[in-house]
Amino acid sequence: MYNTWEELTQACQECHKCGLCETRHNVVVGVGSKDAEVMFIGEGPGENEDLQGEPFVGRAGKLLDKMLTAVDLDRSKNIYIANIVKCRPPQNRDPKPEEQQMCIDWLRTQVKLMRPKIIVCLGRIAAGRIIKSDIKITREHGQWFEKGGIQMMAMLHPAAVLRDPRKKPEAFDDFLKLRDKINEICDHTY
Ligand code: URA
């Protein structure tokens, strides 16, 4: 168990627990404020993230930033963003269950150190791992679940919204629900 972000970050960057370490350029630990009350969790780094060492910096990330801005959230100020797996799966395939299993302790430690009040899962992989394994993202995105004293919501993955822009209004609706919940239970996000 790591007691500080420095210990966690260093150990995570040296991780060789699964085969993804062989093809990575960077370990993508996370980005944002370490005392944020709101944590976003994606699936895993893509090509741009792998090259730059930061989550959600490609096209999907730009859309995510836009929607965040619309509800006064900012990765450099009042949220933290991490992924289920910290290294890029080749060809952006889904991370395998065993890769997720090997990696999940890093995320658990991040949650322990941060103690967020709200966790937002971006897409099916993160929501299935964090909220419940049989989650139906198309039906259950935007709903609140409570687990271990943390409010959790699944959102559509921004890459899915880019693939089908008709989903934009319902995706944005979830950000409004998030803003309402922040106003209700958070004390230093806004
Ligand atoms: N998609 C994700 O799920 N995470 C990233 O960091 C980038 C794209």
Side-chain angles (χ1 to χ4, degrees), residues 13 26-31 47-55 57:
Q13 271 163 353
N26 281 291
V27 178
V28 181
V29 181
V31 69
E47 183 180 17
N48 295 293
E49 291 76 20
D50 174 57
L51 293 173
Q52 294 180 46
E54 181 173 329
V57 290

Side-chain angles (χ1 to χ4, degrees), residues 103-117:
C103 208
I104 200 76
D105 276 346
W106 298 120
L107 185 63
R108 282 209 186 98
T109 307
Q110 287 174 303
V111 171
K112 258 186 208 142
L113 290 171
M114 226 184 95
R115 308 207 307 117
K117 293 193 169 149

Side-chain angles (χ1 to χ4, degrees), residues 28 41-47 49 54-58 60-61 81-85 122 157-159:
V28 181
I41 302 176
E43 169 180 327
E47 183 180 17
E49 291 76 20
E54 181 173 329
F56 287 99
V57 290
I81 308 177
N83 279 309
I84 297 286
V85 296
L122 296 167
H157 195 288

